[in-house]
Amino acid sequence: MAGAKKNFKATKKFEKKHLKGVLDQRKATAKIKQRQQLKTKKQAKNSKDAEFYKGSEDGEKANKVNGSKKTANVNDMSVDDFFGGGFEIIEKSQPNKKTSKKLGKRKRDEPNEDGSASDDGSDLEISADEMPVASGSEESDDEDVEDIGMSKSAMEALAKDDPEFYKFLKENDPEALEFDDADLAEVDELSASEEEDQPKKKRKKEKKQGKSNDADEEKVDNELTQAMVARWKEALTERYSLKAARQVVLAFRSAAHLNEDDEDEERKQPYKISSPEVFHDILIVALKQIPEVLQHHVPIKESSSGKVQVPTDSKKFKTLSNLLKSYISAILHLLGTLSDDATLKLTLSAITPVIPYILSFRKLLKSLIKSVVGFWSQSSSSDTTRITAFLVLRRLVVVGDKGIREAVLKATYQGLVAGSRVTNVNTIQGINLMKNSAAELWGLDQNIGYTTAFAFIRQLALHLRNSIVQNQNESYKTVYNWQYIHSLDFWSCVLAEHCSPLKEAESGKESQLKLLIYPLVQVTLGAMRLIPTATYFPLRFHMIRSLLRISRSTGTYIPLASPLLEVLNSAEMRKSPKPSTIKPLDFHVAYKAPKSYLRTRVYQDGVGEQIVELFSEYFVLWSTNIAFPEFALPVIVMLKRWLEQSRKKTGGNNNNKVRAGLVLLVQKLEANAKFIEGKRAKVDFAPKDRAQVDAFLKDFEWEKTPIGAYVVAQRKAGAEKAKMLEQARKEDERKRKEEEQEALEENAAELDGDDDEMEDFDEDDEDEGSSEEDDE
């Protein structure tokens, strides 16, 4: 028993300290063995090919010398004689025996033909051009396990010298005959088959034109011209020519890599572009015509539900797949070099129609998603670019499978979080556009949407829990930042859009995302109360607005009166403020108040306005509810108590602006309570009749209630104020730019003046030197 226990402890100790290292070492050893096996196999294949080719040449030479010697009959030879005489090619027509005319593939193991080449004979030296190019060299590294194709000249020489061996390689090992631009070479074969359908006269005419055009192209050293682009465009538009499509993709790839200095000749682009007009033309043709050509040759069938069917098993798709990869890779490379909004929109729009074709290319798709999300989340991107990039992402979610949808949703959320790091007056509109657009994606597939949303909301909850449990000086910063605030606000947008009664009525079932309302509300309430100081009152207001959005859209009751009353009863709002002349704080683009704002009249006025606005928005949600009088009573009592306390000469708050706003709010709440009491005095049902209670004033417009009319006027005044502030901001921005321009011009003028003075000084020195020489 003791021995077993000791062994168990030793096993546990080994698993804890050494198991991972042993497994990693075994994996590394297995990889090395695999590389060695691949290298050995490749070298054996190369040597076998070389020996066969060399042996056939030796056989031909021996046949010339010993021409009178006849080949022995293999049936009359013993095994020792067969192997001792060298490997000979046995003639197909043996004496006294008829051979079948059936042709078969010649194997590499067959003996040489005519004559025996003994080991003592001299070997023929074969030049590098005549030798078939091997799949790899013996001196190559272990990692170079991919075959390298033949050069075009070596392939042509092999076809002339040994057509049978060339045919054998073509049938059994076509990869060995690959050469430059092999990824697009098969397109020409399809084009040739299409040209056979054309009339002979037309084909001859086009061949003559093609020869003359090719001669012109060679003269200018592959210089791309507008005439070439126009000819390709005509071929694409009229005949959907794949040969023209291949040339367009090659030229488009050259345009995408235009300003790159490639010293490597293998990566040298096939076309040179020196004219901006040609660059513009090839971009327009490639981005607009190539998707149409693909749709013509490989048509897509799309169902009403958004599912697409692409014939990936067809010969044309397999042939065009390399062209498609090259086209998308060029687009992704081009996107990284563009900054113009119109060109970015055109380039991103060209991706949308080809998305169904690239769903099977997962590695390319991953790069595409990352690039498009980058443009969608960049703070420097315009609204047009963001919307175009979003349409690409939406198309991916619609036509993609579950794996693609999940990848797009995760990348979109990560892009939103990264793009909301910096929030100010200039970026807030773009961030709101991102939140509103991305919220739509989570409703396209609610199964995937629920799992991803649950994981991300749980991640926010873990951050909040860690900041509470750790209780360190800087732990709260993981929660109190713009990214966390925008994340909570984004999920409120998602739930508000897809959990509304109208959306559920359209779909005919309850939304799966509705289960996430409770955890999101709990995380938001916990985050706003993490540090209940006056410095973070703006953050609390942001989170209350997020919860109001959920409550307004889904009809869910969320108790928000107490967080607002906590702000009103804080030390910041109970005492009279200090006078100040600082600029008012913009609560829409701030989550933290600077220390200079605390206890000032400017800050207290702003907080008072926010409290009145949020209280009115909160109560207007239930303005037609039959229980509104009882619902508003506790808040009315608390507000009246605060107003009474503020009127005290000692220890009160003499801020008349805040008091006036709260007095008006109390009056509207009392008026609305009396309005509801008058309406419900006429009903003839009891509180236990839930159906009629829910239907109370259901069709009555909330704008016509006392508190509703007050909120409408308040929103209108707020919109006008925001418009005036935006105009003032733009005017300040314009003046600042003008001042910067004037300063630059003044600096340039001063530099010119200094240069003139230096020139005059030099001239004076020269004059003095010449006068001294004259005196001497």
Side-chain angles (χ1 to χ4, degrees):
M1 186 69 182
K5 188 174 182 181
K6 187 176 181 181
N7 292 336
F8 178 74
K9 286 184 177 179
T11 304
K12 282 286 188 182
K13 188 176 181 180
F14 176 78
E15 289 179 353
K16 185 177 181 181
K17 293 186 177 181
H18 305 291
L19 180 61
K20 189 175 183 300
V22 171
L23 292 177
D24 293 341
Q25 188 176 2
R26 287 180 181 176
K27 290 179 181 177
T29 306
K31 287 183 180 179
I32 293 172
K33 286 182 179 179
Q34 186 178 9
R35 289 174 186 167
Q36 292 292 343
Q37 290 174 359
L38 287 172
K39 183 179 178 181
T40 306
K41 187 177 179 181
K42 184 169 57 178
Q43 290 176 355
K45 178 183 176 184
N46 297 340
S47 60
K48 191 181 293 185
D49 291 345
E51 286 176 3
F52 171 73
Y53 192 83
K54 198 170 183 180
S56 64
E57 294 287 343
D58 291 343
E60 290 176 4
K61 185 177 180 181
N63 191 22
K64 291 178 182 178
V65 176
N66 303 321
S68 60
K69 187 176 179 179
K70 293 185 179 180
T71 305
N73 190 351
V74 69
N75 296 325
D76 298 335
M77 295 173 65
S78 65
V79 176
D80 295 333
D81 294 334
F82 179 78
F83 285 106
F87 291 95
E88 301 174 350
I89 299 292
I90 306 301
E91 286 185 350
K92 294 180 182 178
S93 58
Q94 295 293 341
N96 301 327
K97 186 173 182 179
K98 293 183 179 180
T99 58
S100 62
K101 295 183 180 181
K102 185 177 179 181
L103 296 176
K105 295 181 180 178
R106 217 175 79 185
K107 296 183 179 180
R108 299 188 181 187
D109 298 338
E110 288 180 6
N112 291 332
E113 185 177 357
D114 291 341
S116 61
S118 63
D119 296 337
D120 299 333
S122 61
D123 295 337
L124 276 174
E125 291 184 2
I126 301 177
S127 64
D129 293 335
E130 294 175 343
M131 283 287 290
V133 178
S135 300
S137 60
E138 293 182 0
E139 294 85 13
S140 62
D141 296 335
D142 293 337
E143 295 178 1
D144 298 332
V145 295
E146 294 184 359
D147 292 346
I148 303 172
M150 293 183 68
S151 66
K152 190 173 181 179
S153 59
M155 185 197 70
E156 292 174 352
L158 180 62
K160 292 178 181 178
D161 296 335
D162 195 347
E164 288 185 322
F165 181 62
Y166 173 77
K167 184 179 179 182
F168 168 79
L169 285 180
K170 194 171 184 180
E171 293 176 351
N172 294 277
D173 194 6
E175 294 180 358
L177 304 178
E178 291 179 354
F179 50 94
D180 293 340
D181 288 336
D183 55 342
L184 303 180
E186 296 179 0
V187 179
D188 291 337
E189 297 178 7
L190 276 179
S191 300
S193 63
E194 287 181 355
E195 289 175 358
E196 291 177 0
D197 299 335
Q198 298 179 5
K200 290 185 178 180
K201 293 183 179 180
K202 191 174 182 181
R203 270 188 281 164
K204 289 181 180 179
K205 186 177 180 181
E206 289 179 357
K207 283 182 180 179
K208 290 180 181 179
Q209 291 178 355
K211 288 180 180 179
S212 60
N213 291 328
D214 292 341
D216 295 339
E217 291 171 14
E218 290 177 358
K219 287 179 183 178
V220 295
D221 192 17
N222 290 337
E223 179 75 23
L224 190 64
T225 62
Q226 286 184 305
M228 295 163 61
V229 177
R231 189 174 69 254
W232 294 339
K233 182 179 179 181
E234 182 181 358
L236 292 175
T237 306
E238 295 179 358
R239 304 188 306 276
Y240 299 100
S241 171
L242 289 176
K243 185 178 287 186
R246 175 181 182 270
Q247 297 301 322
V248 168
V249 170
L250 290 173
F252 179 63
R253 191 168 65 187
S254 302
H257 297 264
L258 181 61
N259 295 323
E260 296 181 2
D261 297 330
D262 285 334
E263 297 179 358
D264 190 358
E265 294 183 357
E266 293 181 1
R267 295 185 178 181
K268 189 176 180 181
Q269 300 304 325
Y271 291 101
K272 293 181 180 179
I273 301 174
S274 58
S275 170
E277 291 80 9
V278 175
F279 180 82
H280 176 267
D281 291 347
I282 192 62
L283 253 62
I284 296 296
V285 172
L287 296 175
K288 289 188 176 181
Q289 302 294 329
I290 295 297
E292 295 179 1
V293 172
L294 291 172
Q295 178 64 27
H296 173 78
H297 290 285
V298 189
I300 301 172
K301 296 180 181 179
E302 185 170 358
S303 63
S304 58
S305 60
K307 293 183 179 180
V308 295
Q309 292 181 354
V310 182
T312 54
D313 296 333
S314 64
K315 183 180 178 181
K316 271 196 174 182
F317 180 82
K318 292 178 181 178
T319 305
L320 291 173
S321 59
N322 289 324
L323 181 141
L324 187 61
K325 289 179 184 179
S326 181
Y327 177 65
I328 295 297
S329 300
I331 287 180
L332 295 180
H333 189 85
L334 180 66
L335 284 173
T337 63
L338 297 178
S339 59
D340 181 57
D341 289 338
T343 312
L344 276 173
K345 180 183 178 182
L346 178 65
T347 309
L348 289 170
S349 300
I351 300 175
T352 306
V354 299
I355 283 176
Y357 298 104
I358 61 175
L359 293 179
S360 56
F361 309 139
R362 294 306 174 107
K363 188 175 180 180
L364 190 65
L365 203 60
K366 185 178 179 181
S367 302
L368 175 65
I369 294 171
K370 184 178 179 181
S371 179
V372 173
V373 169
F375 281 99
W376 175 76
S377 60
Q378 272 182 2
S379 58
S380 59
S381 298
S382 64
D383 292 348
T384 305
T385 303
R386 289 182 193 270
I387 293 171
T388 310
F390 166 73
L391 293 177
V392 176
L393 297 175
R394 189 183 185 282
R395 181 66 174 167
L396 280 167
V397 176
V398 171
V399 304
D401 56 16
K402 290 183 178 181
I404 295 174
R405 290 174 181 176
E406 186 175 358
V408 172
L409 292 181
K410 287 182 178 180
T412 301
Y413 180 72
Q414 291 169 358
L416 172 65
V417 173
S420 61
R421 184 186 297 272
V422 178
T423 302
N424 50 42
V425 178
N426 299 317
T427 61
I428 187 65
Q429 292 183 352
I431 294 172
N432 290 333
L433 175 62
M434 281 197 295
K435 289 189 285 191
N436 294 328
S437 59
E440 182 185 351
L441 299 179
W442 264 261
L444 297 175
D445 186 352
Q446 293 200 1
N447 292 323
I448 304 296
Y450 174 81
T451 55
T452 53
F454 177 83
F456 289 128
I457 293 173
R458 182 177 179 274
Q459 189 180 37
L460 296 174
L462 290 176
H463 285 310
L464 177 61
R465 187 193 68 178
N466 292 335
S467 62
I468 295 172
V469 172
Q470 291 176 3
N471 197 18
Q472 298 176 356
N473 292 332
E474 303 294 327
S475 61
Y476 72 93
K477 289 187 177 180
T478 58
V479 175
Y480 279 22
N481 56 68
W482 273 122
Q483 291 172 305
Y484 197 92
I485 295 167
H486 285 303
S487 296
L488 289 175
D489 191 59
F490 167 69
W491 293 120
S492 73
C493 291
V494 172
L495 299 182
E497 181 171 351
H498 301 294
C499 300
S500 63
L502 184 61
K503 282 277 186 180
E504 291 179 346
E506 290 177 356
S507 61
K509 58 182 179 180
E510 189 179 53
S511 174
Q512 297 182 25
L513 300 175
K514 204 166 188 176
L515 299 172
L516 299 173
I517 293 177
Y518 178 76
L520 180 64
V521 170
Q522 292 299 312
V523 172
T524 308
L525 291 174
M528 73 170 65
R529 286 192 169 103
L530 183 61
I531 301 180
T533 59
T535 304
Y536 292 102
F537 282 167
L539 180 141
R540 180 174 292 216
F541 297 149
H542 281 294
M543 294 189 175
I544 289 175
R545 282 192 172 85
S546 300
L547 295 179
L548 281 173
R549 183 188 293 113
I550 296 176
S551 186
R552 184 184 303 113
S553 298
T554 64
T556 305
Y557 170 71
I558 304 173
L560 296 176
S562 54
L564 290 171
L565 290 173
E566 290 172 7
V567 174
L568 194 61
N569 292 324
S570 64
E572 181 74 22
M573 301 299 292
R574 278 184 173 276
K575 297 180 181 180
S576 298
K578 296 180 292 185
S580 64
T581 57
I582 56 178
K583 186 179 179 181
L585 183 67
D586 191 354
F587 285 85
H588 292 91
V589 291
Y591 73 91
K592 179 182 178 181
K595 289 184 178 180
S596 59
Y597 279 83
L598 300 179
R599 299 301 178 97
T600 61
R601 181 176 292 275
V602 172
Y603 185 59
Q604 195 176 93
D605 290 347
V607 172
E609 289 179 0
Q610 294 293 314
I611 290 173
V612 172
E613 179 186 349
L614 292 174
F615 260 131
S616 60
E617 292 286 350
Y618 173 61
F619 281 107
V620 81
L621 298 177
W622 316 104
S623 59
T624 58
N625 192 283
I626 196 170
F628 184 86
E630 292 76 17
F631 173 64
L633 182 60
V635 177
I636 293 173
V637 172
M638 294 295 293
L639 292 176
K640 285 183 176 180
R641 188 178 296 171
W642 189 90
L643 289 170
E644 186 179 352
Q645 181 71 22
S646 66
R647 292 190 183 96
K648 291 182 179 180
K649 293 182 179 180
T650 57
N653 190 346
N654 59 1
N655 192 333
N656 292 325
K657 186 176 181 180
V658 176
R659 284 193 298 194
L662 292 175
V663 168
L664 183 59
L665 176 63
V666 170
Q667 291 176 357
K668 297 299 180 182
L669 291 177
E670 290 178 339
N672 203 84
K674 289 180 181 179
F675 171 77
I676 295 297
E677 287 175 354
K679 291 288 184 180
R680 73 183 182 184
K682 302 175 183 178
V683 301
D684 55 354
F685 53 85
K688 65 179 182 179
D689 192 351
R690 294 298 304 171
Q692 291 189 343
V693 167
D694 293 338
F696 177 78
L697 294 182
K698 190 173 183 179
D699 298 330
F700 192 84
E701 297 179 1
W702 63 269
E703 294 90 346
K704 294 182 179 180
T705 60
I707 188 69
Y710 171 67
V711 169
V712 170
Q714 196 179 38
R715 289 178 181 175
K716 187 176 180 180
E720 292 178 355
K721 183 179 178 181
K723 186 178 180 181
M724 292 174 60
L725 290 173
E726 183 67 17
Q727 290 177 353
R729 186 186 67 81
K730 289 181 178 179
E731 185 67 21
D732 293 341
E733 185 73 14
R734 186 182 62 80
K735 290 181 179 179
R736 184 181 62 80
K737 288 183 179 180
E738 290 179 355
E739 291 175 357
E740 290 179 354
Q741 186 66 24
E742 291 176 359
L744 289 173
E745 292 176 356
E746 289 177 1
N747 292 333
E750 290 177 0
L751 291 174
D752 292 339
D754 293 340
D755 292 339
D756 294 339
E757 290 178 1
M758 291 297 294
E759 290 176 0
D760 295 340
F761 183 74
D762 294 338
E763 290 176 359
D764 293 340
D765 289 344
E766 291 176 0
D767 294 340
E768 290 177 1
S770 61
S771 61
E772 289 177 359
E773 291 176 359
D774 295 338
D775 294 339
E776 291 177 358

